[in-house]
Amino acid sequence: SGHTSHSRLAFLSIHWGPLERMAVTQIHSRCVQIHISDVCREAVSVFSTKSSRGDVPLVLIPTPRPALSIMMQVPSGVTCLLQKFGMDVGEAEPGLHLKPSYFRIAYVVTQQSCTYDAPIMVCPTSDDVRVNVDVVLVFRISDARKFVYRLGAPNFDEFLSGTVDEAIRMLVRKQTHATVYELRSAKADDMLQMLNDKFMESGVSFEDCKIVSVWLPVTLTGYLETTTMMYQAMSKIQRQQDFEILQINQESEMHIEEILRRREQVLISEGGRKKRAELEFEQRSVKAEEEGRVGMIEAEGKVQVMHLITSSQLNRKKTELETKRLLEISQAEADSTSVRCKAELEAEKMVIEAGWREEQMVCDAEATKHEAVAEREASVCLVEKRRHELAMRERQILAQFAAKGQFNMVGESGDQLIQAMMSGSISQSLDRE
């Protein structure tokens, strides 16, 4: 791992400029846990110190208590996790406690807000420009028990480093080299929400997330500076061109004013001609009005004559239409009267027919009733005859069954069937049984 880091630094020092090498030399923070001997004196000071290697102590592991110890001092300003025979019994309150030696402070967790610096190297943008990004996170441990027993400082460091690296690379991949500097604004809020969602169950809450620096390759930076200088030169040329255009416009305006003065002179001269033409037009208009009035009088006379002729034709047409209407109404009334008489005759005929059909049906019903009474009285005399016919039919069925049936007769049912064939009656055989 050390050899790989030195090789990468050598490669970047050759292919990157001073700004990029400065980004590479920044220290990546590491979240660690440290063994200490004196918890009360060293805990707060150790948590407040950040080493030159970027170590951020989150958890302290005190040395075990002596076997004969009965007093236990718990420091304030930190979270101490207490164990009994190696089993977690919760957080210990600050102060002096009277407890046997099998009670021990297993872990000391910081309550401070921790700063985590994560420089991400060689992140490709959407147009494949490699940039360096420096991210600073501020977090605190909100639940010490979840943090220690579910995750731990070393696992948290690896998980956080990988998560931040992946999130920054995905964020940079959506930008171009022209918009990558905008990541230093509020766009990091999405990553803060994502970190809180991922580490919610581990007892860690993130308070701030900022992208403090973004470095482009030195060659691209030089090109961008050259482009800026060219834009400035183009702006200077544009101003010079605007000045020349202003001069041309002023000269054009002077020529336009000269043309306008000439136009006014022409308008004055033409105005006299116009007034003379208007007088001549008025004279011709008066003469035309007189001729028009004479023509209108003649036209009005013709219109009155045509109106009288049209009125007489209209009255004659009205009289003809009224006569036709009265004839059609009388014809329609005669037709309706004949149709109504026919309908009344047909209705009376149907009523008479329905009456004699009803009387016929009543007579049929009385005949059916008398036949039913006669049948009921005769049925008493026909009982013996029908009983004899039923017995004969039963013997015919048994005879056909004995002549054509092919089966094995076993048991009581077979005996009953043979007895019925011999006696000629199934009911008699069942009665004998």
Side-chain angles (χ1 to χ4, degrees), residues 86-105:
M87 183 178 66
D88 178 59
V89 293
E91 298 180 4
E93 296 292 334
L96 185 63
H97 298 268
L98 182 63
K99 289 185 179 295
S101 60
Y102 50 77
F103 284 92
R104 61 182 293 267
I105 298 175

Side-chain angles (χ1 to χ4, degrees), residues 43-89:
V44 178
S45 61
V46 169
F47 284 138
S48 303
T49 304
K50 186 175 181 180
S51 67
S52 59
R53 297 181 303 173
D55 293 343
V56 180
L58 300 180
V59 180
L60 303 179
I61 302 177
T63 56
R65 295 173 59 193
L68 300 178
S69 174
I70 60 173
M71 304 296 293
M72 183 178 66
Q73 181 72 25
V74 179
S76 60
V78 294
T79 302
C80 297
L81 300 181
L82 193 63
Q83 289 185 356
K84 176 183 178 182
F85 291 117
M87 183 178 66
D88 178 59
V89 293

Side-chain angles (χ1 to χ4, degrees), residues 376 378-390:
R376 184 179 57 188
S379 61
V380 177
C381 301
L382 297 176
V383 168
E384 292 299 329
K385 179 181 178 182
R386 290 177 179 171
R387 185 178 299 169
H388 174 72
E389 291 176 354
L390 181 61

Side-chain angles (χ1 to χ4, degrees), residues 53-152:
R53 297 181 303 173
D55 293 343
V56 180
L58 300 180
V59 180
L60 303 179
I61 302 177
T63 56
R65 295 173 59 193
L68 300 178
S69 174
I70 60 173
M71 304 296 293
M72 183 178 66
Q73 181 72 25
V74 179
S76 60
V78 294
T79 302
C80 297
L81 300 181
L82 193 63
Q83 289 185 356
K84 176 183 178 182
F85 291 117
M87 183 178 66
D88 178 59
V89 293
E91 298 180 4
E93 296 292 334
L96 185 63
H97 298 268
L98 182 63
K99 289 185 179 295
S101 60
Y102 50 77
F103 284 92
R104 61 182 293 267
I105 298 175
Y107 301 99
V108 181
V109 183
T110 180
Q111 295 180 354
Q112 303 174 3
S113 294
C114 303
T115 302
Y116 185 86
D117 191 1
I120 312 299
M121 307 302 168
V122 196
C123 299
T125 62
S126 61
D127 49 1
D128 205 23
V129 175
R130 312 291 172 159
V131 299
N132 293 341
V133 181
D134 188 14
V135 185
V136 175
L137 304 174
V138 178
F139 66 90
R140 60 185 299 273
I141 300 173
S142 56
D143 193 330
R145 298 179 67 186
K146 287 184 178 180
F147 178 76
V148 171
Y149 294 116
R150 291 187 179 182
L151 191 61

